[in-house]
Amino acid sequence: MKKHSKYLVTAALPYANSFIHTGHIAGAYLPPDIFVRYKRLNDEDVIFISGSDEHGTAIEMASIAENVTPREIIDRYHFANKKSFEDLGINFDIYSRTSNKIHHDTAQEFFLNIYNKNILVQKTDKQLFSEKENRFLADRFVTGTCPVCGYEEARGDECSNCGSNLSPLELINPRSKITGDIPVIKESTHYYFPLGDYQEKLEKWLDSKKGWKQNVMNYCKGWLKAGLRDRAVSRDLDWGVKIPVKGNEGKVIYVWFEAPMGYISATKELFIERNEPEKWKDYWMNEDTKLIHFIGKDNIVFHSLIFPATLMAHGGYILPDNVPANEFMNFEGEKQSKSKGTGVFVKDITAKFDPDVIRYTLASNMPENKDSEFVWKDLQVKNNSELAGILGNFINRTVVFTKNKFDNRIPEIKTIPETGNDILAFFKSQSEKLNELYDTFKFKDALLLTMDCVRAANKYFNDSEPWKVINTDKEKCGEIIRVCLELCHSIAILINPFLPFSSERILKILNVSDKDLKWNKIGKTILTAGNELGKNRILFPQIEDSEIEIQVQASSGGETVKTVSPQTGIITIEDFKKVSLKVAKVIECVPVPKSKKLLKLKLNLGTSEKQIVSGISEFYKPEDLIGKLVVVVDNLVPSKLMGVDSEGMLLAAKQNGELKIVTIDGDIQTGADVN
RNA sequence: GCCGGGAUAGCUCAGCUGGUUAGAGCGUCGGAAUCAUAAUCCGUAGGUCGGGGGUUCAAGUCCCUCUCCCGGUACCA
């Protein structure tokens, strides 16, 4: 029965306005890749889908902020992220993107289907409209004075000063963030999806689900308990999938509604590429297919309530069989966050370390049950003591022994020694235990069990003492080494889901094809006596302290410093000239509400003023700083910290938990260049 | 404020419906071994399971309460 089911595995569509970081990988991409690889070793029918989510306000905002087209933004992140996945061996069958025509067609068909059934309801709201730009302004495009605290730069959805939730209509003196002009109030009609109508169906459906993770169920129950409400499915925006109904010019399908359909359009695209354009239905519309969504916890309600409801509304589609969401992976005690500039981008870490080492580190510490922690030191420790020490060493000692004592050829085996049979049987039984772990998404346990096999292999080598036996009985020694070589092959299979690159390298070293790279060959003898081994190579070179130190230092700059790429070395004067340093006087200084370390500073730079947010409140009180002359980076790309705009960076020295800001020795005019 | 989730050995984490001396990996310390990337193997030590109270023959596991962290959500007109 199980044999005949198909698997349709999806990984969350990353939003194309930032680079993916290790937290994303550990939470939503490595787990499905491991799962899919395991299934493939078992010859199961599985396809693995993901792609970039490329519409919505945030991308349009980014494009305006950078004065480029949205297309430039999404291209930048789409291709970078696609490459990041490839570099890490996350092997999607297709990594598509929602800006593709096929996705627009699919989403519009979906919308029309539901629209034609009169499922959608229309509501009219007052919204701010910019006559200059001739369009409605999304919440985040509006800025104005907060009616609660009087802060003049409040956003349309939230005041970043006092934290109040706002509607753009409440703002005093609202302005367009793009052009600065004053918008007018205009009515706009939108379509809503009546999620509440599906409450009962969803509850019943969820009740029938066995084996879902507790955290996933909890999130859903929370929402159901609160009652599901209508959700707008259209928006006044340029950038997105147009509403395919007349009279809705300037409106697009709300991104939350359209994005998950990206899984469907990506599947269509995949089978068009494979010249089987109808075959996607065999997955999406086939009850024998198990649809599994791998996501992070932020996405739970979309994948286990909202998207299923829209699938129900359309009809004909299967619903997810499981949604194994993970928690988050933090970074050295902090959230991995774009706005805070903390975390490790995949593009940076893959430039420096072996993808399998990264995969191993992330997998062994996956946030399966609760938020977990990525620590640089861990990468070194895992590599040196586990990958190199246990795994790499076993392969290496076996291969080197074969080379030195058996002419680099696979020894004959007449009878397998009893202890050899034991270890092979142990491998087999472990592989059976692993089946259950993989099927229940317990990948951390699976990794431990996998490494147990390698440990046992080392023990077999030790206990058998081939280096002694070689002196008395070469044939028997050959049999021991032969068993070890067979174990190497089994290990190549066992580690394949986690360490695909190393798995391949082991096959190369053994000089065999991948035809026996099948789960049911674990613990089997498959090598051919007399065959010569391939060239040996060290699978996991030691990672030195210095290599890790560089990373730790590069990413410990605190909130105001972006994690830098792992690059060191000498720069030219031209490089340095790119940085504009100026003397500035602190004229105002207040803590950022709700933040732990942030101070908001208003600075006088002689001819101009600017606002900088700096993570120094643990070291300085606001009143200590007012009037001080400080040094700032004047031409840093602006960013937001805790929702507060920051237009530069304050220089400070930091060491061992101490921090001192850079000040000027004596009097000089503010705005003076520093070099 | 309300809802949910955390707080377990030096570090990173497991502990299902309550049940013998609380587990794993890594690290520490000691020993064995020397084929191997100073890599392996064996053994040892390490925790009043965030604090306090309660239910029970029995609680890390259930209940109450407090502290701290993390999400979500509301209000603050």
Side-chain angles (χ1 to χ4, degrees), chain A residues 378-603:
Chain A
D378 215 34
L379 184 94
Q380 182 192 21
V381 168
K382 299 274 184 201
N383 179 76
N384 292 358
S385 60
E386 299 186 34
L387 289 173
I390 298 169
L391 203 175
N393 182 237
F394 177 72
I395 307 293
N396 186 248
R397 71 201 296 205
T398 302
V399 170
V400 169
F401 200 99
T402 307
K403 188 178 175 188
N404 291 341
K405 307 291 182 185
F406 293 94
D407 193 27
N408 210 29
R409 288 177 188 280
I410 294 169
E412 284 282 354
I413 195 160
K414 284 184 183 146
T415 50
I416 301 176
E418 195 183 325
T419 52
N421 265 325
D422 290 346
I423 182 76
L424 289 165
F426 174 74
F427 267 51
K428 176 79 185 155
S429 77
Q430 290 284 94
S431 79
E432 283 158 9
K433 281 186 196 161
L434 281 163
N435 291 333
E436 163 122 23
L437 294 176
Y438 279 112
D439 279 328
T440 50
F441 313 112
K442 291 178 181 159
F443 302 125
K444 273 202 299 196
D445 285 343
L447 186 56
L448 281 177
L449 227 64
T450 301
M451 290 306 284
D452 278 346
C453 291
V454 188
R455 277 183 202 100
N458 269 315
K459 181 169 166 52
Y460 173 74
F461 198 111
N462 271 35
D463 294 352
S464 305
E465 302 184 312
W467 60 89
K468 281 185 187 165
V469 178
I470 189 77
N471 299 320
T472 55
D473 186 343
K474 184 158 185 186
E475 190 175 309
K476 191 178 162 202
C477 178
E479 288 170 350
I480 292 166
I481 289 304
R482 173 64 179 276
V483 168
C484 289
L485 286 164
E486 298 287 357
L487 293 178
C488 288
H489 186 269
S490 285
I491 287 168
I493 307 169
L494 281 161
I495 64 169
N496 184 271
F498 292 99
L499 310 171
F501 298 97
S502 307
S503 172
E504 246 174 71
R505 285 175 202 145
I506 293 172
L507 294 188
K508 276 220 177 76
I509 293 168
L510 294 176
N511 195 18
V512 294
S513 76
D514 60 2
K515 78 176 168 54
D516 289 313
L517 198 71
K518 299 291 173 196
W519 199 251
N520 60 15
K521 300 282 183 173
I522 294 169
K524 295 272 175 11
T525 53
I526 61 101
L527 300 174
T528 308
N531 280 7
E532 190 169 1
L533 296 183
K535 190 174 183 313
N536 188 26
R537 66 174 279 186
I538 297 295
L539 290 177
F540 303 101
Q542 295 284 325
I543 294 176
E544 303 300 330
D545 290 348
S546 58
E547 294 176 66
I548 290 296
E549 276 304 309
I550 291 168
Q551 302 306 320
V552 174
Q553 281 176 12
S555 50
S556 68
E559 274 82 356
T560 52
V561 181
K562 257 193 134 181
T563 304
V564 300
S565 300
Q567 282 172 359
T568 50
I570 309 290
I571 63 168
T572 65
I573 187 96
E574 293 308 314
D575 287 331
F576 179 73
K577 278 183 181 165
K578 289 179 189 165
V579 182
S580 163
L581 298 174
K582 301 248 181 192
V583 175
K585 188 173 206 165
V586 182
I587 48 183
E588 265 178 55
C589 181
V590 289
V592 173
K594 289 184 182 174
S595 79
K596 198 172 137 201
K597 302 178 184 170
L598 301 183
L599 290 180
K600 186 176 76 182
L601 303 134
K602 192 158 274 178
L603 302 168

Side-chain angles (χ1 to χ4, degrees), chain A residues 15-18 54-77 133 135 140-141 177-178 237-240 338:
Chain A
Y15 197 58
N17 78 334
S18 63
E54 306 186 304
H55 298 133
T57 326
I59 284 169
E60 186 161 356
M61 291 264 315
S63 82
I64 291 166
E66 292 188 32
N67 197 22
V68 297
T69 61
R71 168 62 57 181
E72 281 181 62
I73 301 278
I74 63 172
D75 278 355
R76 179 195 311 158
Y77 295 109
E133 298 162 65
R135 66 161 165 189
R140 287 197 252 179
F141 282 125
K177 211 164 186 174
I178 305 157
L237 203 67
D238 276 340
W239 181 242
K338 196 184 87 160

Side-chain angles (χ1 to χ4, degrees), chain A residues 5-11 32-33 35-37 39-40 43-50 91-95 262-272 274 276 278-286 289-294 318:
Chain A
S5 31
K6 295 171 190 291
Y7 289 88
L8 173 51
V9 176
T10 73
D33 187 66
F35 182 77
V36 166
R37 286 177 185 276
K39 288 293 171 194
R40 296 227 158 107
D43 287 326
E44 302 247 32
D45 182 349
V46 40
I47 54 172
F48 186 19
I49 304 289
S50 192
N91 259 357
F92 302 118
D93 286 293
I94 183 165
Y95 186 75
Y263 298 134
I264 300 170
S265 39
T267 313
K268 288 181 181 171
E269 192 181 332
L270 170 67
F271 284 109
I272 288 170
R274 292 183 181 176
E276 300 172 286
E278 292 302 307
K279 187 129 185 236
W280 67 275
K281 292 179 186 161
D282 211 13
Y283 290 84
W284 279 99
M285 302 189 160
N286 178 350
T289 300
K290 290 186 172 177
L291 169 61
I292 304 176
H293 293 306
F294 284 86
I318 55 167

Side-chain angles (χ1 to χ4, degrees), chain A residues 221-333:
Chain A
K221 281 178 184 163
W223 271 60
L224 289 166
K225 204 172 134 196
L228 303 177
R229 296 189 209 157
D230 295 355
R231 286 183 73 97
V233 294
S234 57
R235 276 211 114 177
D236 295 301
L237 203 67
D238 276 340
W239 181 242
V241 178
K242 304 288 180 224
I243 300 282
V245 177
K246 275 195 178 161
N248 288 287
E249 288 64 37
K251 290 188 186 352
V252 296
I253 304 179
Y254 213 138
V255 68
W256 67 263
F257 189 64
E258 150 260 301
M261 296 169 196
Y263 298 134
I264 300 170
S265 39
T267 313
K268 288 181 181 171
E269 192 181 332
L270 170 67
F271 284 109
I272 288 170
E273 280 175 9
R274 292 183 181 176
N275 266 323
E276 300 172 286
E278 292 302 307
K279 187 129 185 236
W280 67 275
K281 292 179 186 161
D282 211 13
Y283 290 84
W284 279 99
M285 302 189 160
N286 178 350
E287 287 298 330
D288 288 336
T289 300
K290 290 186 172 177
L291 169 61
I292 304 176
H293 293 306
F294 284 86
I295 53 171
K297 64 178 166 185
D298 53 325
N299 254 321
I300 288 173
V301 292
F302 288 105
H303 289 77
S304 45
L305 293 174
I306 298 175
F307 187 49
T310 59
L311 290 170
M312 286 172 179
H314 185 287
Y317 285 91
I318 55 167
L319 302 178
D321 180 71
N322 208 329
V323 183
N326 277 330
E327 305 280 318
F328 290 153
M329 175 176 265
N330 297 321
F331 167 73
E332 302 266 9

